[in-house]
Amino acid sequence: MITLFFLYLCKLKNINNKNVDKNTIIGFTLIAAVLFGFTWYNQPSREQMEAKRKQDSIATVMKQKAEEQQKLAEVKRNAETARRALEDTTALFHSAMQGTAQKFVLENEKIALTFSSKGATVEKAVVKGFEDNNGHKDVTLFDEKTQRLAYTFATKEANISTADLYFNIKSKSASSIEFEAQAGDGKSVIITYTLGKDYMLHSSLRVNGMAGLFAPGAQHLDINWQETCRQQEKGFSFENRYSTLTYHFADGGTDYLNETSEKTDEPVDENIDWIAFKNQFFSAVMIAKDGYGKDALLTSIPQQKESGFLKKYEAKLKTVLDPSGVKPTEMEFYYGPNDFRLLQNVEKQSKFGKDLELERLVYLGWPLFRYINRWFTLYVFDFLRSMAIPMGIILILITLLLKAITYPMVKKSYMSSAKMRVLKPKLDEATKQYDKPEDALQKQQAMMQLYSEYGVSPLSGCLPMLIQMPIWIAMFNFVPNAIQLRRESFLWIDDLSTYDPIIEWSKDIWLIGDHLSLTCILFCGANLLYSWFTMQQQKDQMVGQQAEQMKMMRWMMMLMPLMFFFMFNDYSAGLNFYYFISLFFSAAIMWVLRKTTNDEKLLAILERKREENKKNPQKKMSGLAARLQAMQKQQEELQRKREELARKNAQLRGK
C-alpha cells in the first residue's frame, strides 16, 4: 500500500509530462467509480451480517466442539493406555505413570519459568519488566492451560510419552534442575534444564540403560509442541498481523506461515533448526542442536477478536535420539522479547555454535528494506536511544535526518518542476498549433524539442521521488516491530506501538473498525496538505488540454488520503506519527522552496543555457530525456509508415 502512495506522489510530479488522452482519464474515473460502487452495493445488509455472524458463531462452536471431542477421545485413549500400564506391573515406566504433579521454579532477573514434575517441561513462562495488556507488571507468555510440550519415543513394547510420566527431582540448584523418570532395573529417562543469565534455557534429554528396548531404526524423538498465543497488546488486528509461526532453515534464512489464513499440518520440505511461536513483541523459541527433519508439520489457526488469543500454534517435529544414551538430545529455549540487539546478544549464549539468526524474529522487510533498516535505521535509533531521548522525539529526529539526506534530491525535483513552470508560456506558444487530438505526437515532440533547447529533463522531477521510496517502505517495516516503542507515551499518545483512539465504540464498523485514531487523521490531513501543495505547483505547468485533464485528476488524487485512512486507522500511532511528521516537513520544504525561488532569475538562467546550446548544436541530450525523444521519433516513424501503408491499400482498392 505504501508503494501505491509513492507512485501517487510520482504521478503528481510527472502528470504534466504526459499527454494523457481525455477518454483514458474518463475511463479510469469510471472504473474507479464502478469499483467503489460495486463494493458499496455488494456490502451485506445488517440482516445478512447478523445472519453471517450467527452462522460463523455456530460454525465456530461446532468446530470448537469437534476439537473438544477429539481432545476428549485422545485423553480417554491416553487414560486407557495408562490404566493398562498400571495394571501391567511389567510394563515400562509402570511406577512413573502414577504420582502427584509438583511445581518448581527457575528464575533470574529477566524471566521466571515454572516446571511441572509431570512431563518435566516448562508449563509457564513469565517475562519480567514488561507490562501486559491487563496492566500487570510482567508478561505471561503461556501457562499450563495454553501450552503443552511432549516428547515421545518408540520402544518395542509401546510408544512412551513424557507427558504421561511423573518425574522425580534428581538434583536442583538456583539455575538448574534435573528430572528423572524410572522404568526399573536401571532404566530411566533423564531431562536436565539450565537457565542462563538472560532468556536462554538449555535442555538435554537422554535415555539410560534402554538401548535394547528400542525398535530397530527408532533413533528419533518425536516432539509435539502446542500453544494458544495470548493477545498482549491493545490492538488485536495490528498485533495479529505481526504474529506468526516462524522457523529458521538449517542452511540460513527464515520463513513463516501466513498470518491471516488457517494452516493445518503444513509440511516443511527443508531441514530447520528452530521453531518460534511468535506474537508482535514476544516469542517462545525451541532450538534443536541436531535440527529437525524435513517431515515437520506446522499449524497456525487465527482466533476470534474477543477471545483474548491471537493464534493456535502447533509443531510436530522429529530430532535425533541416541538409544544407547551416550549422546543426549540437546535443545535450547528462548522465552523473551523480540528485540533485535538483545536477540543478537542472547544468541551468543547458545552452546550449539550455529548462526541461528534469532534477530530475524524482528521483521525488517524485504532484502533492500532490511538492508536499510539493518545498517542505517537501527544504528541511528540506537544512538538516539543512548541519549535517553523520548521515543516521540526520536521519531522526529529520524525524520529530520532523513529529510536532510534526501533534501538535495527533493530540491532537484522541485527545481525541475520550477523550470517547466517558468517555461510554460513558451510551451504554450510552441504548441498552440497542435490542439487537435491527432496532433498529439507532434505536440509532444515540440515540447521535447523546447525542453532540449533549454536543457530541461521532464522526468528528472520524478526520479528523486522514486529514490526516497525505499526509505519510506523501510520505516513502514521498522516502526511496528520496534519493541522500544511499546508502552512509550508522547504528547497525547499513551502507547506509540498501538493506535491512539480519540473515540471508541463496541462494535466494528465496516472499513473503520471500533475506533478513530488521531494520528491516522493527522497523517491523512498532512497527506491532503502535501497533495494540495503539489497540485498547486503542477497547476502552473499544464499546457493545453493538460490543464483540463488535471481538474479531472484532482478529485482522484484527493481520494488517496481517504483510502489511507481506512488502511492505517488500525496501525500503530508511532508509524502514523512518523508519516504525519514526514509529510508535514515535506509540505514545509516545498513551501519554502516556492517562496525562495525567483522565477525571473530562473528563466534568465535557462535562457543563457539555451544560448549555450545553440552555440554547440552537436551537443546531445543525455539521460531519460534523450531516450524519450528517441522513442517519440520511433513512434512518429511508425505512424508515418502506417499512413503510407494505408494510402497504398486505398490505391489498391481504387484499382
Side-chain angles (χ1 to χ4, degrees):
M1 295 304 177
I2 294 296
T3 303
L4 292 175
F5 177 63
F6 294 113
L7 294 177
Y8 153 63
L9 294 180
C10 186
K11 181 71 177 177
L12 288 174
K13 305 299 293 183
N14 196 36
I15 185 66
N16 64 305
N17 302 314
K18 297 181 180 178
N19 189 15
V20 183
D21 182 72
K22 183 176 181 180
N23 291 332
T24 301
I25 301 300
I26 294 174
F28 186 71
T29 306
L30 290 174
I31 290 173
V34 168
L35 288 174
F36 279 107
F38 183 78
T39 303
W40 178 84
Y41 179 77
N42 283 278
Q43 63 177 320
S45 65
R46 181 174 298 179
E47 292 78 9
Q48 290 173 324
M49 291 178 67
E50 181 65 20
K52 182 66 167 59
R53 186 189 66 79
K54 291 180 178 179
Q55 183 179 358
D56 290 343
S57 299
I58 293 172
T60 301
V61 170
M62 293 298 292
K63 183 177 180 181
Q64 291 176 347
K65 187 175 180 180
E67 290 177 353
E68 290 174 358
Q69 289 177 345
Q70 184 178 357
K71 289 181 179 179
L72 182 60
E74 183 179 354
V75 170
K76 288 181 178 179
R77 286 195 299 270
N78 293 337
E80 180 63 19
T81 301
R83 184 188 64 78
R84 290 177 180 176
L86 288 173
E87 291 177 353
D88 183 4
T89 57
T90 64
L92 278 174
F93 297 99
H94 165 75
S95 60
M97 289 185 179
Q98 52 187 335
T100 302
Q102 296 179 313
K103 312 295 183 184
F104 303 91
V105 177
L106 292 182
E107 64 180 317
N108 54 29
E109 294 180 353
K110 304 293 182 63
I111 192 169
L113 303 176
T114 302
F115 297 82
S116 174
S117 62
K118 184 177 183 183
T121 57
V122 178
E123 69 172 20
K124 183 177 182 181
V126 177
V127 182
K128 299 180 180 180
F130 292 90
E131 182 181 310
D132 70 4
N133 194 37
N134 297 317
H136 302 144
K137 65 177 183 178
D138 299 324
V139 167
T140 299
L141 289 186
F142 57 81
D143 56 24
E144 67 277 7
K145 296 179 181 179
T146 58
Q147 190 258 11
R148 180 181 182 273
L149 175 61
Y151 307 116
T152 303
F153 49 88
T155 68
K156 295 176 181 178
E157 297 181 2
N159 291 335
I160 305 300
S161 174
T162 58
D164 299 328
L165 305 181
Y166 290 87
F167 286 74
N168 300 317
I169 301 299
K170 191 173 182 180
S171 64
K172 185 180 184 302
S173 67
S175 61
S176 66
I177 187 169
E178 187 174 32
F179 293 96
E180 181 180 33
Q182 296 183 350
D185 298 328
K187 302 177 181 64
S188 64
V189 175
I190 300 173
I191 304 178
T192 304
Y193 296 97
T194 303
L195 181 62
K197 64 178 182 179
D198 288 321
Y199 302 95
M200 188 74 81
L201 177 71
H202 185 81
S203 167
S204 70
L205 180 151
R206 61 186 176 88
V207 293
N208 196 20
M210 297 174 59
L213 301 180
F214 281 86
Q219 297 185 359
H220 64 268
L221 182 70
D222 289 305
I223 302 172
N224 184 272
W225 188 25
Q226 303 173 19
E227 181 187 336
T228 306
C229 183
R230 292 170 177 252
Q231 179 182 348
Q232 305 287 359
E233 315 303 323
K234 178 171 65 175
F236 173 85
S237 299
F238 190 64
E239 183 183 6
N240 212 12
R241 192 176 292 118
Y242 291 92
S243 300
T244 58
L245 192 158
T246 305
Y247 49 95
H248 182 265
F249 297 111
D251 295 332
T254 58
D255 202 352
Y256 58 90
L257 298 187
N258 187 285
E259 66 274 16
T260 58
S261 60
E262 180 175 322
K263 299 291 183 180
T264 303
D265 287 342
E266 190 78 8
V268 179
D269 298 329
E270 298 183 47
N271 290 318
I272 55 180
D273 52 20
W274 57 254
I275 297 285
F277 291 169
K278 173 183 178 294
N279 64 7
Q280 185 178 4
F281 292 126
F282 301 93
S283 291
V285 187
M286 185 167 62
I287 310 160
K289 182 177 182 179
D290 297 308
Y292 304 111
K294 295 182 179 180
D295 47 0
L297 298 175
L298 307 178
T299 296
S300 175
I301 303 175
Q303 301 299 290
Q304 297 294 324
K305 183 175 182 179
E306 303 300 330
S307 67
F309 298 97
L310 303 170
K311 304 277 196 329
K312 276 189 177 180
Y313 294 136
E314 182 176 7
K316 300 174 183 177
L317 312 164
K318 293 181 185 296
T319 191
V320 175
L321 174 69
D322 180 9
S324 69
V326 175
K327 179 184 176 182
T329 299
E330 295 186 76
M331 288 183 287
E332 290 174 331
F333 298 84
Y334 172 83
Y335 304 113
N338 300 329
D339 184 318
F340 190 92
R341 298 300 186 196
L342 172 65
L343 288 165
Q344 284 183 317
N345 293 330
V346 168
E347 183 173 320
K348 297 175 184 177
Q349 301 173 23
S350 173
K351 300 179 181 180
F352 298 162
K354 293 183 176 183
D355 184 11
L356 296 173
E357 296 184 300
L358 287 175
E359 68 274 7
R360 288 292 192 97
L361 288 170
V362 181
Y363 183 70
L364 297 179
W366 291 349
L368 173 61
F369 314 125
R370 183 170 66 245
Y371 185 85
I372 294 172
N373 284 326
R374 174 68 179 82
W375 300 108
F376 173 77
T377 311
L378 271 169
Y379 281 98
V380 174
F381 192 72
D382 291 342
F383 172 74
L384 295 175
R385 281 186 63 216
S386 67
M387 302 172 66
I389 300 174
M391 287 298 166
I393 300 297
I394 287 178
L395 290 176
I396 295 175
L397 292 176
I398 290 177
T399 305
L400 291 175
L401 177 61
L402 293 174
K403 291 300 175 186
I405 293 173
T406 58
Y407 177 76
M409 294 180 288
V410 172
K411 185 176 181 181
K412 181 180 180 181
S413 173
Y414 174 81
M415 292 308 297
S416 175
S417 298
K419 290 175 183 178
M420 290 185 284
R421 183 181 68 244
V422 299
L423 289 176
K424 181 178 179 298
K426 298 183 180 295
L427 286 171
D428 289 336
E429 181 65 24
T431 59
K432 63 182 181 181
Q433 68 270 33
Y434 304 119
D435 284 339
K436 297 179 181 179
E438 58 269 23
D439 297 333
L441 188 61
Q442 291 87 340
K443 181 176 182 178
Q444 189 72 10
Q445 188 164 358
M447 293 171 60
M448 293 304 301
Q449 178 62 33
L450 192 64
Y451 287 144
S452 175
E453 293 175 3
Y454 283 94
V456 175
S457 174
L459 295 182
S460 62
C462 181
L463 289 179
M465 299 301 296
L466 293 175
I467 295 174
Q468 295 182 75
M469 286 174 57
I471 297 176
W472 279 68
I473 301 176
M475 292 301 292
F476 175 79
N477 288 297
F478 176 79
V479 174
N481 290 289
I483 193 173
Q484 293 81 3
L485 298 178
R486 187 177 186 270
R487 301 296 190 267
E488 288 291 327
S489 61
F490 182 69
L491 299 178
W492 69 89
I493 305 171
D494 294 329
D495 186 350
L496 286 165
S497 69
T498 187
Y499 60 84
D500 58 319
I502 54 173
I503 184 174
E504 294 182 274
W505 48 88
S506 57
K507 294 184 178 180
D508 283 355
I509 297 178
W510 184 62
L511 292 179
I512 297 178
D514 59 2
H515 65 275
L516 289 178
S517 175
L518 179 55
T519 50
C520 180
I521 295 173
L522 292 175
F523 158 47
C524 295
N527 192 358
L528 195 64
L529 176 65
Y530 183 81
S531 300
W532 182 82
F533 268 116
T534 305
M535 285 187 292
Q536 287 298 110
Q537 179 180 329
Q538 296 291 329
K539 183 177 64 175
D540 298 331
Q541 301 171 215
M542 300 295 104
V543 178
Q545 295 181 351
Q546 289 181 344
E548 294 299 321
Q549 294 167 355
M550 185 62 182
K551 293 179 181 178
M552 301 174 63
M553 292 291 294
R554 185 176 303 167
W555 293 105
M556 297 172 60
M557 295 172 184
M558 288 298 183
L559 286 176
M560 293 300 292
L562 180 62
M563 293 173 60
F564 284 127
F565 169 77
F566 294 130
M567 290 187 293
F568 283 82
N569 190 45
D570 260 341
Y571 273 62
S572 69
L575 183 64
N576 280 321
F577 181 72
Y578 166 77
Y579 283 139
F580 161 64
I581 293 296
S582 182
L583 283 170
F584 176 81
F585 281 122
S586 294
I589 290 172
M590 188 179 297
W591 182 82
V592 171
L593 288 172
R594 183 68 181 91
K595 290 296 182 182
T596 56
T597 300
N598 189 313
D599 288 357
E600 294 180 359
K601 291 183 179 180
L602 181 59
L603 182 59
I605 293 172
L606 291 175
E607 292 292 354
R608 288 197 297 271
K609 183 72 174 179
R610 185 186 190 189
E611 293 300 321
E612 292 175 2
N613 290 337
K614 284 183 178 180
K615 294 177 182 179
N616 186 15
Q618 301 301 321
K619 184 177 180 181
K620 298 181 179 180
M621 286 191 300
S622 60
L624 288 174
R627 289 194 290 271
L628 183 59
Q629 187 182 52
M631 189 167 58
Q632 288 177 334
K633 287 182 179 180
Q634 291 176 358
Q635 291 176 347
E636 185 179 32
E637 180 65 19
L638 182 62
Q639 180 66 23
R640 186 187 64 77
K641 290 181 179 179
R642 287 175 178 172
E643 292 175 354
E644 183 178 349
L645 181 62
R647 285 196 300 269
K648 289 181 180 180
N649 290 335
Q651 291 174 359
L652 291 174
R653 286 194 297 269
K655 292 179 180 180

